[in-house]
Amino acid sequence: MISVAVAGYAGRMGSAVVDAVTSADDMTVVCGIDPHKQTRSFPTYTSVASALEAHTCDVLVDFTQPTSVFDNCKAALRVGVNCVIGTTGLSDEQLHELEKCAGDNLCVFFAPNFTTGAVLMMQFAQVAAPYFPEVEIIEYHHAKKLDAPSGTALRSAALIAAARDGKPSQAPMKESETAGCEGARGACVQGIPVHSVRSMGYVASQEIIFGSFGQTLTIRHDSWDRNSYMPGVLLGIRKAPLHTGLIVGLENFMDVK
């Protein structure tokens, strides 16, 4: 059995992780961590350090907040626990620092998106990227999401930019914005315009729009139920203890390259 600690168990995603792990035959929740402590069927704590001092775990799953995920994972790695991270908002510097903490014995697995559909969307976009001069990303999330752009949008932009050898989108950028309306063209992420929509009408959606003379290609993924993330989370929990170092992206554990 894989022993799992869930950071953020009282939140929307954390609760879904607890249910998914509990239903799996090969893993179990040994403890939960959340500042909003709630009574559950497993021991609960308000800090990762206190939880892992009391329990031996194979994997810490973190679905907390951008302000706490880094310290949570450092505390876990310090006591020999692998990390599966679903919280976005980590900087590249923080990821590299966690990679150093993992060393040659532990794994830090970070997935900007745990849904198989989103992974495939990004893979398809990489194939299309060299063939269209213009590309833009629009991502839609619920109003309580704390980071913008989303981790999925940032990852998509990075993969598309790599597939284009760093060539930026040829769509007009900041230079076309009307004075007093700066920001209308979105954020420029590795040369690609990214637009973030926040509304309670969404869970998580994204579309990548490619354009060239006389045609557009739109690749879109929609997630309207948080359970869509759970197969990817369980896959990460199973695979992380078998690897070492920093691994970014669910595609590394799927048969998609």
Side-chain angles (χ1 to χ4, degrees):
M1 296 288 285
I2 304 172
S3 58
V4 181
V6 180
Y9 71 88
R12 293 179 296 270
M13 284 298 295
S15 295
V17 171
V18 168
D19 291 341
V21 172
T22 301
S23 298
D25 295 332
D26 58 342
M27 60 186 73
T28 184
V29 177
V30 296
C31 62
I33 304 98
D34 200 292
H36 306 290
K37 190 174 180 180
Q38 299 177 0
T39 301
R40 293 296 179 92
S41 59
F42 46 83
T44 60
Y45 301 83
T46 57
S47 75
V48 169
S50 58
L52 299 185
E53 182 179 352
H55 300 275
T56 300
C57 300
D58 298 309
V59 176
L60 171 75
V61 178
D62 190 292
F63 276 96
T64 57
Q65 297 188 13
T67 54
S68 56
V69 56
F70 178 69
D71 289 336
N72 287 347
C73 292
K74 281 193 73 173
L77 293 167
R78 195 175 296 123
V79 294
V81 178
N82 300 287
C83 295
V84 172
I85 304 172
T87 305
T88 56
L90 283 167
S91 67
D92 289 341
E93 291 76 13
Q94 288 176 318
L95 283 173
H96 290 312
E97 179 64 25
L98 292 178
E99 181 180 23
K100 292 178 183 177
C101 293
D104 297 327
N105 299 314
L106 297 171
C107 178
V108 175
F109 172 56
F110 170 59
N113 196 304
F114 277 98
T115 60
T116 53
V119 170
L120 292 171
M121 170 188 63
M122 290 184 273
Q123 297 291 314
F124 299 157
Q126 283 185 281
V127 175
Y131 301 99
F132 291 86
E134 294 98 21
V135 56
E136 305 203 22
I137 297 172
I138 307 176
E139 54 100 344
Y140 311 78
H141 281 82
H142 56 89
K144 293 184 178 180
K145 184 170 178 60
L146 298 178
D147 56 318
S150 70
T152 302
L154 296 175
R155 176 68 170 166
S156 299
L159 293 173
I160 291 168
R164 296 162 67 91
D165 294 325
K167 184 178 180 181
S169 173
Q170 293 184 26
M173 301 289 284
K174 301 292 184 182
E175 70 278 3
S176 66
E177 293 176 345
T178 301
C181 298
E182 288 77 13
R185 291 294 296 126
C188 181
V189 180
Q190 301 202 32
I192 298 168
V194 177
H195 313 269
S196 297
V197 177
R198 295 292 177 266
S199 170
M200 292 308 295
Y202 294 102
V203 174
S205 299
Q206 179 174 288
E207 57 187 20
I208 302 171
I209 304 170
F210 292 98
S212 67
F213 184 76
Q215 64 173 331
T216 60
L217 171 65
T218 301
I219 305 172
R220 180 178 174 115
H221 175 258
D222 297 282
S223 177
W224 58 86
D225 191 313
R226 289 178 175 85
N227 286 323
S228 63
Y229 295 87
M230 294 307 109
V233 172
L234 296 182
L235 180 61
I237 293 171
R238 293 182 178 112
K239 294 288 189 178
L242 306 177
H243 294 78
T244 60
L246 173 67
I247 299 176
V248 177
L250 188 63
E251 65 272 14
N252 293 286
F253 293 159
M254 296 169 58
D255 293 329
V256 178
K257 297 296 182 182

